[in-house]
Amino acid sequence: MKRGVLIVLSGPSGVGKGTVRKALFEEPDIDFQYSISMTTRQPRNGEVNGEDYFFVTRDEFETEIANGDMLEYAEYVGNYYGTPKKFIDQTLAAGRDVLLEIDVQGALQVKEKMPEGAYIFLTPPDLAALKERLIGRGTEAMDVIDRRVSAATAEIRMMANYDYAVVNDEVSLAVNRIKDIIKVERLRVNRVLPEYIKMIEELEA
Ligand code: 5GP
């Protein structure tokens, strides 16, 4: 059976990963399975357990880690977020495609374990706009703004670890770019060759 394609959508905080991911799954021709993350943060209004996240306690999360059941996990603003391993393994083995939407720390961990995936970095259109937005908001002191901008630029440098960069200038445009990437991924030799090797083996049997 041909293995499914793993797509990892990631990028700096505040770039709009969640919005783009939701819009992508609304497309009629997207047949990906979404890997539902586990988190210790409280559900927001309207969020459903087992749909948006698996909401668990810190104890439960730490048990999962200890049992080796997380493909990756990270702590973000005081809460754990992680990807349950079993769903990914089973879904890919069944030949179905999986999409993960996770932060930059998590994506690096997944890449070490599953380098064959397609790693997409969602990026803001420009950094000057980010700084202006923070200044314009007028809620933070200049030194805080500078810290935030340098945190964002450090995250942008992480782009070097990815295969594709998608600018999130407009959600619908970002979605189309991701769909193009998915199409190209299916044509990569390392996905197609195993099938031909099998055919050759059958011919020669
Ligand atoms: P939020 O609390 O806004 O839903 O998510 C906060 C951040 O955690 C976002 O950047 C989101 O992409 C990231 N995130 C969500 N699920 C996971 C996960 O399973 N692993 C990691 N490493 N990050 C995640």
Side-chain angles (χ1 to χ4, degrees):
M1 160 98 61
K2 192 173 174 179
R3 263 176 88 73
V5 176
L6 174 72
I7 300 272
V8 177
L9 179 62
S10 183
S13 44
V15 75
K17 297 187 284 290
T19 308
V20 169
R21 184 256 302 169
K22 284 187 191 124
L24 183 68
F25 276 96
E26 272 163 24
E27 295 286 299
D29 49 348
I30 285 289
D31 192 22
F32 268 72
Q33 306 300 302
Y34 177 55
S35 158
I36 300 166
S37 296
M38 195 171 276
T39 185
T40 58
R41 86 150 159 72
Q42 292 299 309
R44 295 186 188 125
N45 251 348
E47 281 185 333
V48 178
N49 187 30
E51 246 175 61
D52 298 284
Y53 281 103
F54 296 110
F55 296 100
V56 298
T57 63
R58 279 189 90 81
D59 272 357
E60 287 167 325
F61 201 104
E62 283 169 358
T63 305
E64 296 273 333
I65 298 171
N67 290 342
D69 290 337
M70 303 308 276
L71 175 64
E72 61 76 28
Y73 68 93
E75 244 185 305
Y76 177 77
V77 206
N79 283 302
Y80 282 126
Y81 292 82
T83 306
K85 191 168 177 304
K86 196 166 151 197
F87 175 81
I88 311 268
D89 289 346
Q90 290 179 344
T91 311
L92 292 176
R96 308 193 66 182
D97 307 325
V98 178
L99 184 132
L100 269 62
E101 179 238 301
I102 59 179
D103 79 339
V104 172
Q105 308 168 60
L108 287 186
Q109 296 171 51
V110 180
K111 195 167 184 210
E112 295 222 330
K113 295 178 182 164
M114 308 179 84
E116 73 281 10
Y119 291 81
I120 304 177
F121 189 88
L122 197 64
T123 185
D126 74 87
L127 296 179
L130 173 76
K131 186 163 184 174
E132 273 158 30
R133 212 165 52 230
L134 289 169
I135 294 172
R137 220 162 56 176
T139 49
E140 268 101 14
M142 207 53 210
D143 63 321
V144 177
I145 290 175
D146 284 340
R147 275 204 336 255
R148 286 192 180 216
V149 170
S150 71
T153 53
E155 281 192 314
I156 302 274
R157 287 181 201 276
M158 304 290 272
M159 194 196 299
N161 301 296
Y162 288 73
D163 302 308
Y164 300 98
V166 166
V167 178
N168 188 20
D169 45 0
E170 228 179 87
V171 173
S172 62
L173 295 178
V175 163
N176 281 335
R177 293 176 188 125
I178 294 171
K179 288 172 78 171
D180 287 344
I181 292 168
I182 292 170
K183 280 184 209 143
V184 168
E185 272 301 306
R186 296 197 198 290
L187 307 181
R188 265 161 64 159
V189 164
N190 64 358
R191 298 196 194 287
V192 180
L193 184 59
E195 281 185 273
Y196 280 82
I197 299 281
K198 217 187 300 156
M199 286 188 252
I200 292 169
E201 283 167 359
E202 280 164 10
L203 265 184
E204 288 175 348

